[in-house]
Amino acid sequence: MWKLFKRLIKLCSLIITLAIIIAGINVYMVATDMLNITDSYYEEIDIEPECILVLGAGVKPDGTPSDALQARLDKGIELYRAGVAPKLLLSGDNGQVEYDEVTAMREYARDSGVPDEDIFTDHAGFSTYDSIYRADEIFCVSRAVVVSQKDHLYRALYGCKKMGVEARGVPADGKEVYSAYYGSEYNYREYLARAKDFVKWIIKPEPKYLGSKIPIDGDGRETE
């Protein structure tokens, strides 16, 4: 009985320690990147971004953008039209033939009047980590505006910093559309994802797919 009690104490101690570490990582990540997120980007331009990076967020069964993804696209297109950056970089998951975030994103931007040559698509943005890594490695991005829901932007901007990409974040619509896609537990998912990416940025493994460089100052039609 005493041995079982000691094991339970050790297990509880381990859980508490992990919880403290994860909480500390979250506080650190939010604190270090909160000043790089702005709702009024037009008045606070302090870099010359080469592109607006819109991160994927799922599609509906009919292949159209989810509400969370549509909110990101709308904000990205709004910034493009305002002249914040000359190119859109749409990064999402197209790992299976039957699941294609990226084509849905491209078609939405195209239908909104963005010229094909200004739409770059990253079909191997399977995660936030992959999207940021590939933005630097494949698309040669050094300065960017990143668009996602605010809670997600902290993690994305942290990754940009680790890849040497100077970035600012502009939030799309918030929790109501984000939680509708990820479920009511999305806050916990994001807390854990921040801790996971914190470790990955220390190790910095290569994404599953890299490939030839396609500089962001070229023609987006090369990425179709």
Side-chain angles (χ1 to χ4, degrees):
M1 187 68 179
W2 175 245
K3 288 184 179 180
L4 178 60
F5 180 73
K6 289 176 67 176
R7 288 176 182 174
L8 287 174
I9 292 295
K10 288 182 179 179
L11 178 60
C12 290
S13 299
L14 177 60
I15 292 173
I16 291 171
T17 300
L18 287 174
I20 291 171
I21 291 172
I22 291 171
I25 288 172
N26 273 267
V27 170
Y28 172 74
M29 198 172 283
V30 171
T32 56
D33 291 299
M34 62 188 304
L35 295 180
N36 289 325
I37 297 175
T38 176
D39 291 299
S40 55
Y41 191 82
Y42 313 111
E43 292 83 29
E44 299 179 18
I45 298 176
D46 59 348
I47 63 173
E48 294 184 7
E50 300 159 309
C51 71
I52 298 158
L53 172 58
V54 181
L55 299 171
V59 293
K60 297 176 181 177
D62 63 359
T64 59
S66 65
D67 291 344
L69 180 54
Q70 182 176 333
R72 297 181 189 187
L73 289 165
D74 286 342
K75 179 59 68 174
I77 292 166
E78 175 190 329
L79 295 170
Y80 169 84
R81 287 173 175 165
V84 170
K87 305 289 183 179
L88 288 178
L89 175 54
L90 311 177
S91 183
D93 186 348
N94 184 200
Q96 301 174 352
V97 174
E98 64 274 14
Y99 186 80
D100 187 353
E101 290 181 354
V102 182
T103 296
M105 296 169 79
R106 173 182 282 280
E107 291 302 317
Y108 191 89
R110 179 182 286 157
D111 292 344
S112 299
V114 182
D116 287 348
E117 59 268 26
D118 291 344
I119 304 173
F120 282 73
T121 48
D122 179 7
H123 293 261
F126 304 131
S127 66
T128 304
Y129 177 89
D130 287 358
S131 293
I132 301 302
Y133 195 112
R134 286 173 54 81
D136 172 72
E137 184 68 21
I138 302 299
F139 298 96
C140 307
V141 174
S142 58
R143 299 180 306 279
V145 171
V146 184
V147 176
S148 185
Q149 277 70 33
K150 189 172 185 179
D151 285 356
H152 183 215
L153 278 175
Y154 300 112
R155 178 159 54 105
L157 292 176
Y158 183 81
C160 287
K161 183 165 53 183
K162 289 300 178 180
M163 282 303 290
V165 176
E166 191 173 7
R168 301 293 182 267
V170 177
D173 288 343
K175 291 184 177 182
E176 62 279 0
V177 292
Y178 200 37
S179 59
Y181 175 65
Y182 286 106
S184 59
E185 76 282 3
Y186 88 98
N187 269 329
Y188 303 107
R189 292 169 59 99
E190 187 58 34
Y191 293 153
L192 294 174
R194 288 173 188 161
K196 178 195 71 176
D197 279 9
F198 181 85
V199 174
K200 288 186 75 172
W201 284 117
I202 293 173
I203 303 170
K204 203 174 282 190
E206 286 189 354
K208 184 176 181 179
Y209 297 108
L210 284 176
S212 302
K213 293 185 182 297
I214 310 173
I216 196 68
D217 61 357
D219 191 324
R221 287 171 291 191
E222 295 181 33
T223 65
E224 287 192 35

